[in-house]
Amino acid sequence: MTADEQDPLHPHDRSAEGPYRRLKRLTIDDLFGPSTPQIDILLRLDQRVTVLHGRNGSGKTITLNLLAALCRGHFEQLDRYPFSRLELETTDGATLTISKALGLIRRRAGVGEESIATTHRYKLSLPGRPPEEGEIPRVPPEDLANIAKKRGFQRNHRHQWDHLTGDRERDDVDLIQEIREIYGEEALPSLIPEDSQLASFLRTLAPIKFIRADRLYERNRLGDPELTIERLGRGLRRVIVAADRQYRAISSQLDSSLAKRLFAAHKDLPTLDQLRKRSRHLHERTEHLIEIGLLREQLDPIDEAALTEDQKKTFFIILKDREEKLAPLFPVADKAQRLLESLNRKLAPKVVRLDVDSGYQVLSASGAPLKLRDLSSGEQHELVLFHELLFDVQPGSLILIDEPELSLHVTWQVDLLADLIAIARLADLDIMLATHSPYIVGDHTDLMVRLGEPV
Amino acid sequence: MNHPEWGVPQPPPRTESKFFNAARRTVSLLVEAGIDARFWRIHCVRDCHVRHHDQGGRDAVLRALDQARGDPEAVLLAVLDADLDRLEGRLEDRDDVIWTDAHDLETTLFTTPALEKLANFHLDPDKLQAAEQRWRETFRVRLFRHAAGFGRLRWLKNRSHDELDLLVFKKISKRQLSYFDRYSECAAADWTPDLKIAIRKIIDYSSAHSLLERDLAAECEALPAADLHQLCNGHDLLGLLAAGLAALGSGNKPKADALAEALATACERAWLLTTAMWRAIESWERAHPGYQVLRQDPD
């Protein structure tokens, strides 16, 4: 691809932040076979939140699964569902259409048998460029067999995969998914040519975060189940420790050069009023850091009211130092504030704080520490949901949430959508959720998209 | 879903109806009060979701209907009290509203033999028969004659006499001196209807002490003749029925609230089949194939 052929939304690495293509519309034909109703979801982008509803079995979770798989390039997941055509449309006018076709594939890894089976073809139309068409590539059977063997998987006589340590059977799709979950994307070969429009499209599509219905438990690298909340706690601890290290490193650096800077000449010092205002603001923010548990030491108070003109330079240097020292803690505090406000309002009399040692610290009404696993399932759902939204997503992401009402009392359900809309606007997110709860929707009927037909 | 007593605001009817209709064809039947909801739940199918707007009354129901108009996934129907609007010729003709046959649901139910059923349940039949012979009129006629006085006063108030806004017809709360019951005190000896006493009691229980009884009586007399079923209010009928049963020596002295519950359950389906509201619901069902409100005839 030449420079002038480049996509208007520049191709870049996933780790770089936007601009991303925002999903505008998703249509799926024949999701459950011929003559099933078309799924047509026009996202409520102006409101940032789209609510899918429908009876059980109408395809809400499958739609979220398919969307997540497609946006992440996990094309093997498409084999799971018998749709005939699937189309994504983004706000810049790009469309990606996937349709099923019959093709010759080698089904059994290591055996080399050929058989007629379903394949997926795509057609990608990017604005101002000729459409690109092709077949969605699959992991070659021999490669899959080699990858599986290295990780202790082998074919059994029913053409399923067993692992040496267990007797659970998996098909090819399960196997790929499991390898990806446990060993990461790098464990599988990259199938889409890097210079294709499809690769470029996928790189520039809004990152997906899928918060599943079974969000309280997940598998660790050993394949064992663990509480999500404990992993999140560890993740948060890493964030806090990193911020705390930065705070200490900057503090040490500034403290060692303080004497030199005190004797250096300073021009354009702020006025006394400006300094007092900045000092009061910093004092408030510092108190907040201590209150939520992010700062463990009390800083010596500065009496800005007694500040005189001849103390101005010294005061300014000390104030500026403190601002710089605390700067790494503020982004964490800003994100945590919304989470902790919401959690502490709901979990009262329990109190949730941040903690450098454990990530989250939960205290009982008497102040005794509680383990995260001792929180009720509703409390864990609330914490997991909002932690993921506030700490685990990058701006511009599309968030998929399956059944956010799980385990939540109706009073919490009533509050949920307003919180989600506020976070989506604040953090520049689009949210698509699937729910069975009219309490969550409340007055926001304009956000609702029905899937399926009534029986 | 039928439990607003959880203390959590119910989802708006439109939202709820869309959720229900995503699974099965479901009608949300909106009514004005809890007793109405309990009555309709007896006669409606499971897929008709009966909801009441206790605090907002008719206006809240109409607002909910307006919000759902034009949304094919929200299927709402309301059964509302005609109140005095039928007498005034002000009833709005809407395809999503069915008006009660009489003044309100309770009055409509009182037009059926449910009244006699209640009276016979609570009174010694001999005593009731003796009273009716003494009165030279039936219990039913006497009850409606009683309620007509209150009905005329309500009509006067409804016709926007500013000073009459002070008249209070609502039930006296339990915290106040509830033994002053205007319904039991409004009758002369032997539960004889007396409009003047009724007017005096209404004024006594209101802030409208400056109103002159004779002026109100004259204005009531000057109102046009009206069908008693359209004029009489269900709350008045229930209050007067409770007072009448007590006056005639009912042993258990039922309260008006208990009588309202009993009335709703005493009314038999066969008596309802001929009511206009019942036929209107059947007509609505025919116009909306697949959506069912009323239970099918068990026969």
Side-chain angles (χ1 to χ4, degrees):
Chain A
M1 186 165 51
T2 60
D4 55 356
E5 277 179 335
Q6 286 219 335
D7 201 339
L9 290 170
H10 59 278
H12 49 66
D13 188 86
R14 270 280 188 218
S15 59
E17 290 193 358
Y20 294 113
R21 290 192 159 90
R22 290 174 80 190
L23 181 66
K24 182 181 163 192
R25 186 174 208 140
L26 170 69
T27 52
I28 307 173
D29 293 342
D30 306 322
L31 178 58
F32 300 112
S35 77
T36 50
Q38 186 194 48
I39 285 176
D40 184 1
I41 301 164
L42 186 62
L43 274 76
R44 310 307 196 238
L45 293 175
D46 54 334
Q47 300 271 354
R48 295 275 181 180
V49 177
T50 307
V51 178
L52 308 185
H53 76 111
R55 62 182 167 81
N56 296 104
S58 58
K60 299 185 295 298
T61 302
I62 292 176
T63 298
L64 298 184
N65 276 332
L66 271 172
L67 185 57
L70 202 60
C71 294
R72 290 168 174 163
H74 298 171
F75 293 115
E76 78 284 348
Q77 296 290 324
L78 303 180
D79 286 344
R80 284 257 178 266
Y81 312 106
F83 68 91
S84 63
R85 183 176 163 280
L86 188 156
E87 186 169 284
L88 293 183
E89 187 182 339
T90 56
T91 48
D92 65 325
T95 55
L96 172 64
T97 309
I98 310 263
S99 31
K100 281 201 189 293
L102 287 177
L104 192 66
I105 60 166
R106 289 159 68 183
R107 297 284 293 177
R108 293 173 55 192
V111 181
E113 280 183 8
E114 289 187 341
S115 60
I116 299 289
T118 305
T119 60
H120 295 104
R121 293 193 61 79
Y122 75 93
K123 179 179 178 184
L124 177 64
S125 303
L126 298 177
R129 303 182 59 180
E132 179 182 270
E133 292 187 53
E135 188 170 316
I136 301 278
R138 292 167 181 272
V139 182
E142 294 81 4
D143 290 0
L144 185 58
N146 288 334
I147 293 164
K149 193 175 173 186
K150 278 184 200 168
R151 286 165 177 82
F153 295 96
Q154 61 185 19
R155 283 270 191 205
N156 63 24
H157 62 283
R158 287 186 293 275
H159 310 305
Q160 299 276 310
W161 295 95
D162 286 334
H163 193 264
L164 295 173
T165 58
D167 54 4
R168 189 169 68 83
E169 293 187 331
R170 313 141 177 88
D171 60 15
D172 288 2
V173 177
D174 286 338
L175 176 71
I176 293 172
Q177 190 176 359
E178 194 168 332
I179 289 173
R180 188 179 275 125
E181 275 176 17
I182 297 175
Y183 300 102
E185 295 282 348
E186 60 279 6
L188 292 158
S190 177
L191 301 172
I192 313 286
E194 280 299 306
D195 59 350
S196 66
Q197 287 188 39
L198 181 59
S200 164
F201 177 76
L202 292 175
R203 278 196 300 269
T204 54
L205 207 52
I208 286 270
K209 177 80 186 175
F210 190 3
I211 303 174
R212 297 173 184 278
D214 57 352
R215 51 189 163 265
L216 293 193
Y217 287 91
E218 55 193 22
R219 267 182 300 184
N220 60 21
R221 288 185 75 88
L222 298 172
D224 298 326
E226 78 166 337
L227 274 175
T228 308
I229 198 171
E230 292 182 341
R231 177 184 63 79
L232 297 182
R234 289 198 300 274
L236 182 63
R237 180 179 171 275
R238 281 195 291 276
V239 172
I240 296 172
V241 166
D244 189 60
R245 278 190 188 140
Q246 264 188 292
Y247 160 68
R248 289 182 192 288
I250 295 170
S251 296
S252 166
Q253 191 186 356
L254 289 171
D255 289 348
S256 65
S257 64
L258 179 62
K260 190 179 169 186
R261 284 180 291 118
L262 280 173
F263 288 101
H266 268 278
K267 289 178 184 173
D268 302 329
L269 288 172
T271 63
L272 281 177
D273 278 349
Q274 286 171 333
L275 283 174
R276 286 191 184 112
K277 198 174 169 186
R278 268 172 73 171
S279 176
R280 277 196 298 273
H281 180 63
L282 183 67
H283 178 70
E284 283 168 13
R285 298 206 74 183
T286 308
E287 289 292 310
H288 178 244
L289 290 175
I290 293 167
E291 186 189 321
I292 62 174
L294 207 50
L295 187 64
R296 286 193 285 191
E297 60 224 25
Q298 192 80 42
L299 302 180
D300 293 334
I302 309 174
D303 184 7
E304 67 264 358
L307 179 65
T308 58
E309 194 65 37
D310 57 329
Q311 298 168 326
K312 205 164 81 169
K313 180 185 155 193
T314 311
F315 185 87
F316 172 63
I317 291 171
I318 293 172
L319 180 65
K320 199 159 167 284
D321 277 11
R322 284 197 176 176
E323 286 172 341
E324 285 181 36
K325 288 175 186 176
L326 295 172
L329 301 179
F330 290 141
V332 183
D334 290 343
K335 284 184 176 177
Q337 185 178 5
R338 184 160 193 101
L339 175 69
L340 295 181
E341 265 178 15
S342 171
L343 278 178
N344 285 325
R345 193 177 65 241
K346 292 169 182 169
L347 268 60
K350 293 174 197 162
V351 176
V352 182
R353 303 173 80 234
L354 302 186
D355 184 62
V356 179
D357 296 326
S358 57
Y360 286 111
Q361 185 183 45
V362 185
L363 303 173
S364 69
S366 63
L370 296 171
K371 288 182 178 171
L372 283 175
R373 62 173 55 239
D374 291 333
L375 291 177
S376 74
S377 62
E379 290 169 330
Q380 289 191 38
H381 270 286
E382 189 80 358
L383 199 153
V384 168
L385 186 63
F386 284 99
H387 177 104
E388 301 257 29
L389 288 175
L390 290 162
F391 287 103
D392 267 13
V393 296
Q394 46 183 310
S397 294
L398 172 61
I399 314 297
L400 311 177
I401 309 174
D402 197 9
E403 304 200 20
E405 69 272 21
L406 289 180
S407 297
L408 300 189
H409 185 271
V410 284
T411 52
W412 290 17
Q413 293 182 33
V414 167
D415 294 341
L416 188 74
L417 190 58
D419 285 343
L420 290 180
I421 291 173
I423 289 173
R425 287 182 178 151
L426 197 74
D428 186 24
L429 307 172
D430 289 319
I431 296 177
M432 185 189 290
L433 61 91
T435 181
H436 289 291
S437 170
Y439 287 94
I440 282 189
V441 177
D443 282 322
H444 292 277
T445 43
D446 53 326
L447 307 183
M448 295 170 73
V449 177
R450 187 180 81 187
L451 303 192
E453 294 294 328
V455 177
Chain B
M1 287 294 193
N2 284 331
H3 302 285
E5 57 270 29
W6 282 355
V8 177
Q10 287 193 93
R14 180 185 176 190
T15 306
E16 205 170 62
S17 180
K18 286 167 78 79
F19 269 88
F20 280 119
N21 274 300
R24 283 201 293 264
R25 293 185 192 281
T26 306
V27 183
S28 289
L29 186 72
L30 308 186
V31 294
E32 292 181 54
I35 185 66
D36 299 37
R38 289 192 282 282
F39 168 78
W40 284 110
R41 274 181 208 131
I42 295 170
H43 297 285
C44 289
V45 293
R46 191 188 58 172
D47 283 343
C48 175
H49 179 60
V50 182
R51 286 190 52 168
H52 75 88
H53 278 51
D54 197 24
Q55 300 301 317
R58 185 202 279 190
D59 290 343
V61 172
L62 292 175
R63 268 198 306 279
L65 292 174
D66 288 341
Q67 284 163 4
R69 273 198 164 176
D71 186 341
E73 293 175 15
V75 183
L76 270 52
L77 176 67
V79 180
L80 298 177
D81 295 340
D83 294 335
L84 293 162
D85 290 327
R86 185 172 280 124
L87 286 178
E88 298 285 12
R90 290 193 304 238
L91 275 189
E92 192 185 352
D93 189 18
R94 295 175 60 131
D95 58 5
D96 52 1
V97 174
I98 285 157
W99 301 103
T100 53
D101 289 46
H103 184 98
D104 50 30
L105 181 67
E106 291 90 338
T107 310
T108 305
L109 301 185
F110 272 123
T111 64
T112 72
L115 171 59
E116 282 73 22
K117 201 170 167 182
L118 281 184
N120 283 316
F121 179 78
H122 284 286
L123 293 173
D124 179 342
D126 294 337
K127 275 188 184 174
L128 179 59
Q129 196 178 7
E132 287 182 332
Q133 283 172 357
R134 193 169 63 245
W135 296 336
R136 294 183 182 167
E137 64 183 353
T138 62
F139 188 82
R140 169 181 291 278
V141 169
R142 204 169 183 84
L143 175 64
F144 273 87
R145 274 216 294 141
H146 259 304
F150 286 89
R152 287 204 180 85
L153 278 171
R154 286 177 187 272
W155 199 5
L156 268 187
K157 180 177 175 175
N158 190 265
R159 285 192 158 194
S160 77
H161 280 252
D162 289 344
E163 69 278 17
L164 291 181
D165 286 345
L166 299 170
L167 289 180
V168 176
F169 290 93
K170 289 190 174 162
K171 187 184 160 192
I172 305 291
S173 80
K174 283 183 183 171
R175 287 177 179 275
Q176 297 175 31
L177 299 173
S178 59
Y179 54 83
F180 286 118
D181 178 349
R182 58 182 174 273
Y183 293 119
S184 61
E185 295 177 24
C186 72
D190 201 21
W191 202 49
T192 306
D194 186 326
L195 181 62
K196 286 180 184 169
I197 298 177
I199 290 172
R200 194 183 316 132
K201 288 300 162 191
I202 285 290
I203 291 175
D204 285 351
Y205 285 101
S206 305
S207 309
H209 302 301
S210 59
L211 291 172
L212 292 175
E213 289 170 34
R214 65 169 182 275
D215 293 346
L216 281 181
E219 288 193 62
C220 282
E221 289 298 325
L223 284 169
D227 177 359
L228 287 183
H229 292 162
Q230 300 303 328
L231 182 65
C232 294
N233 179 291
H235 297 290
D236 294 340
L237 285 166
L238 286 164
L240 291 164
L241 176 63
L245 293 175
L248 292 179
S250 171
N252 48 11
K253 293 186 180 171
K255 294 275 192 323
D257 288 348
L259 285 172
E261 299 278 352
L263 178 67
T265 49
C267 193
E268 293 175 17
R269 187 172 176 277
W271 302 335
L272 295 165
L273 296 178
T274 55
T275 60
M277 62 182 187
W278 197 272
R279 289 198 301 269
I281 294 174
E282 289 174 333
S283 171
W284 183 93
E285 287 176 327
R286 283 192 295 278
H288 297 80
Y291 292 96
Q292 197 182 344
V293 177
L294 300 169
R295 287 183 200 276
Q296 292 297 310
D297 190 336
D299 299 326

